[in-house]
Amino acid sequence: MDSYQHAFTVFYVERTRRHCWRCRDVTFHCSEWSVCLLWVQTIREQLSLLTNQPKSLLVYINPYGGKQFGKQIYDHKVAPVFSRASISTNVIVTERVNHARDHLKMEANLKKYDGVVCVGGDGMFSEIMHGVVSRTQRDTGVDENSSEETLVPCGLRIGIILAGSTDCVCYATVGSNDPVTSALHIVVGDSQPMDVCSVHSDDNFLRYSVSLLGYGFYGDMLTDSERKRWMGPARYDISGVKTFLSHRYYEGTVSFLLAEENLGTPRDKIQCRSGCTICQQSSSDKLVSKDEDSVSDAERQDVLTVIRRKFLAINAATMSCACPRSPKGLSPSAHLADGTTDLILVRKCSRLDFLHHLLCHTNKNDQFDHSFVEVYRDRQFRFTPRYQECDSEVDLRESGAGGKHFLSQICREHRACGCMPAQSNWNCDGEILPHTAIQVRVQCQLITLFARGIEEQSVFEDPYVLCAI
């Protein structure tokens, strides 16, 4: 067997089990040094033509999220991958809440970078997303406080390295919560557009949402869990049980504009996957001029739907919200970039029925197949709680005597009397909104992630397509 003194090594990405990727290498041996150099030069020239791959990244690390392993995960698992791909990085370890958001909005020179990477959970991603979106709107002169404004899409891609307690966004866009897999998606330069909901109260901007807006059950659960942050991730389980047992319901009015029929329905069983045709169609529709868009919006006013009920939960899922605990998610057929959100209305029902509905999120049963559950695909919606409609009556009753006011306060704070609280809170991607009466509009494909959507499992099982690039 001939022994070659000259060799070069090529690193590539290989698909493994459960949507995970790994970096592999193969070494080629050459009989002559000139041949070896020619191969290396040719390969480097071909790689230089791949303009979608990032060369410089701005990285934010949350050292406090989840189990506080963010810095360790980045240093040991992610940084070596970026270094091997010759990607330069500027790493910032955040020191406070909204540190990354504020830095992106006001200080960062974003022209130096090909993307922004967050190392943390969904909360850290939300910070990065708010910073990038707000910076883009400010630089282009768009007023975020206008609920009717169509926002300008962000040109800077966002990468997510999971190191937090919640992983909904990463899991729904990659199919795995593995940090090495996410790093490799960034290295190969994948791009996955994603919708973002803008949330307003009157003409005041509140927040952006990419996954879940939840009122009632999920709002109450988050409110309770915030009082138990010292317990770590276990607080979500305890608060979930407590909220379920309280079985609170809230009356209000939901009005929304249905999406077009060609975008499907939440119950059509068509899941959003890599290369999704529905999302691609929505991307083509974005080429329509603003004048045509305004006419289309005016036409859709004719199909305004108004529902007033007593609700246990009102959920708006802009993506499937899948996670390891709920592999299907809140809305299994929701799409990442079709310009819609799936509005799930859970009316007042028994505890047993509601439990059955919740359990369906963890098995193969249809969570919408209940008489008390309604689900709609819409482009925008508005919610008004009932208490705002009768505040004047409450004021009159409570102004009669100090004793009545005292008793009404007892009813609000203690469940033993059987009275329901007047309002819940909105859970906006894990943050509590300060207002309950809100308007929500889906901003189609506002941001782009370093991802390609969840690939079909058959791609991972085919031995002939192991290489991801």
Side-chain angles (χ1 to χ4, degrees):
M1 186 175 180
D2 295 334
S3 61
Y4 299 125
Q5 297 180 352
H6 312 293
F8 64 93
T9 301
V10 174
F11 296 91
Y12 65 97
V13 176
E14 182 182 80
R15 295 181 175 94
T16 59
R17 300 179 58 190
R18 298 181 180 179
H19 298 96
C20 289
W21 288 7
R22 286 295 177 265
C23 187
R24 307 298 190 205
D25 63 85
V26 57
T27 300
F28 296 88
H29 299 270
C30 304
S31 58
E32 299 180 9
W33 179 241
S34 59
V35 175
C36 183
L37 288 178
L38 181 60
W39 271 105
V40 171
Q41 180 181 353
T42 302
I43 292 174
R44 285 177 174 171
E45 288 176 353
Q46 293 300 312
L47 289 175
S48 67
L49 299 177
L50 302 176
T51 57
N52 60 322
Q53 294 181 334
K55 302 295 189 296
S56 178
L57 297 171
L58 177 58
V59 181
Y60 294 94
I61 301 176
N62 178 7
Y64 307 109
K67 298 181 180 179
Q68 302 182 4
F69 291 154
K71 187 71 166 58
Q72 181 179 343
I73 289 174
Y74 179 80
D75 289 341
H76 295 164
K77 295 185 177 183
V78 179
V81 175
F82 289 167
S83 176
R84 184 172 293 166
S86 300
I87 297 176
S88 63
T89 57
N90 178 14
V91 179
I92 297 176
V93 179
T94 59
E95 300 174 353
R96 56 179 173 80
V97 176
N98 291 325
H99 180 177
R101 183 201 67 182
D102 296 342
H103 184 258
L104 282 166
K105 286 176 65 174
M106 306 302 298
E107 303 175 31
N109 182 6
L110 300 184
K111 295 180 180 179
K112 295 168 50 180
Y113 306 105
D114 302 312
V116 180
V117 176
C118 66
V119 182
D122 287 344
M124 187 61 178
F125 167 77
S126 181
E127 271 197 46
I128 300 295
M129 182 263 295
H130 276 82
V132 172
V133 172
S134 295
R135 177 67 173 270
T136 301
Q137 308 319 307
R138 191 194 72 176
D139 291 348
T140 54
V142 175
D143 182 12
E144 288 183 289
N145 284 319
S146 174
S147 60
E148 299 300 321
E149 194 79 62
T150 298
L151 303 183
V152 177
C154 305
L156 208 61
R157 284 175 289 178
I158 302 174
I160 310 172
I161 305 297
L162 183 67
S165 56
T166 55
D167 52 7
C168 174
V169 178
C170 188
Y171 196 86
T173 55
V174 175
S176 167
N177 54 12
D178 174 58
V180 174
T181 299
S182 296
L184 291 173
H185 276 285
I186 296 171
V187 166
V188 303
D190 279 340
S191 294
Q192 172 62 55
M194 194 162 72
D195 298 334
V196 177
C197 286
S198 55
V199 186
H200 292 77
S201 179
D202 296 325
D203 281 328
N204 295 313
F205 168 71
L206 299 181
R207 287 188 68 86
Y208 294 115
S209 170
V210 296
S211 55
L212 169 68
L213 273 165
Y215 185 83
F217 179 76
Y218 289 105
D220 291 347
M221 184 172 69
L222 177 64
T223 302
D224 186 77
S225 69
E226 286 297 297
R227 306 187 189 105
K228 300 178 174 64
R229 294 191 70 88
W230 57 272
M231 299 178 65
R235 68 185 185 272
Y236 297 116
D237 294 330
I238 295 174
S239 294
V241 172
K242 180 180 177 181
T243 304
F244 169 76
L245 293 176
S246 68
H247 201 62
R248 298 188 182 101
Y249 59 85
Y250 305 93
E251 188 170 356
T253 301
V254 181
S255 55
F256 52 92
L257 294 175
L258 289 170
E260 299 87 339
E261 292 184 359
N262 66 327
L263 294 177
T265 71
R267 301 190 65 180
D268 58 16
K269 307 297 183 183
I270 301 176
Q271 293 185 310
C272 188
R273 291 294 181 260
S274 182
C276 175
T277 56
I278 292 178
C279 294
Q280 290 175 352
Q281 177 62 40
S282 296
S283 180
S284 300
D285 293 343
K286 286 188 67 180
L287 299 176
V288 179
S289 68
K290 282 190 176 182
D291 290 339
E292 290 175 330
D293 281 342
S294 62
V295 171
S296 178
D297 287 340
E299 292 173 352
R300 281 196 291 267
Q301 295 294 329
D302 295 336
V303 293
L304 179 69
T305 303
V306 180
I307 298 176
R308 180 171 179 174
R309 295 282 191 277
K310 293 177 180 178
F311 300 105
L312 280 172
I314 300 173
N315 303 317
T318 313
M319 61 173 63
S320 68
C321 298
C323 64
R325 286 193 172 189
S326 177
K328 294 189 307 178
L330 281 177
S331 187
S333 296
H335 290 266
L336 292 171
D338 65 345
T340 72
T341 185
D342 288 352
L343 187 62
I344 307 165
L345 308 178
V346 183
R347 300 193 305 274
K348 179 184 176 183
C349 62
S350 68
R351 280 189 179 86
L352 185 60
D353 285 341
F354 188 52
L355 177 62
H356 187 204
H357 167 68
L358 293 176
L359 291 177
C360 286
H361 293 86
T362 63
N363 55 42
K364 296 182 179 181
N365 295 330
D366 184 358
Q367 59 259 54
F368 304 139
D369 190 21
H370 302 281
S371 60
F372 54 88
V373 177
E374 302 173 45
V375 58
Y376 305 92
R377 183 156 291 171
D378 64 273
R379 290 190 177 274
Q380 53 185 296
F381 72 91
R382 178 190 298 266
F383 174 73
T384 306
R386 182 180 181 274
Y387 82 94
Q388 287 197 344
E389 302 168 2
C390 59
D391 274 350
S392 58
E393 298 178 18
V394 174
D395 291 341
L396 286 174
R397 285 198 302 267
E398 293 187 353
S399 62
K404 290 185 178 181
H405 177 78
F406 176 73
L407 291 175
S408 66
Q409 187 69 22
I410 293 177
C411 288
R412 287 193 187 95
E413 297 179 355
H414 299 279
R415 300 282 301 141
C417 67
C419 296
M420 288 292 173
Q423 61 177 328
S424 177
N425 292 305
W426 279 99
N427 176 344
C428 180
D429 293 357
E431 298 292 333
I432 298 174
L433 294 182
H435 299 273
T436 52
I438 62 172
Q439 305 100 46
V440 179
R441 182 177 182 182
V442 183
Q443 305 286 342
C444 185
Q445 301 184 9
L446 185 64
I447 62 174
T448 304
L449 303 188
F450 283 108
R452 62 174 59 177
I454 299 177
E455 295 182 297
E456 297 288 354
Q457 190 61 37
S458 58
V459 174
F460 288 79
E461 296 170 354
D462 189 342
Y464 297 102
V465 291
L466 285 178
C467 185
I469 56 173

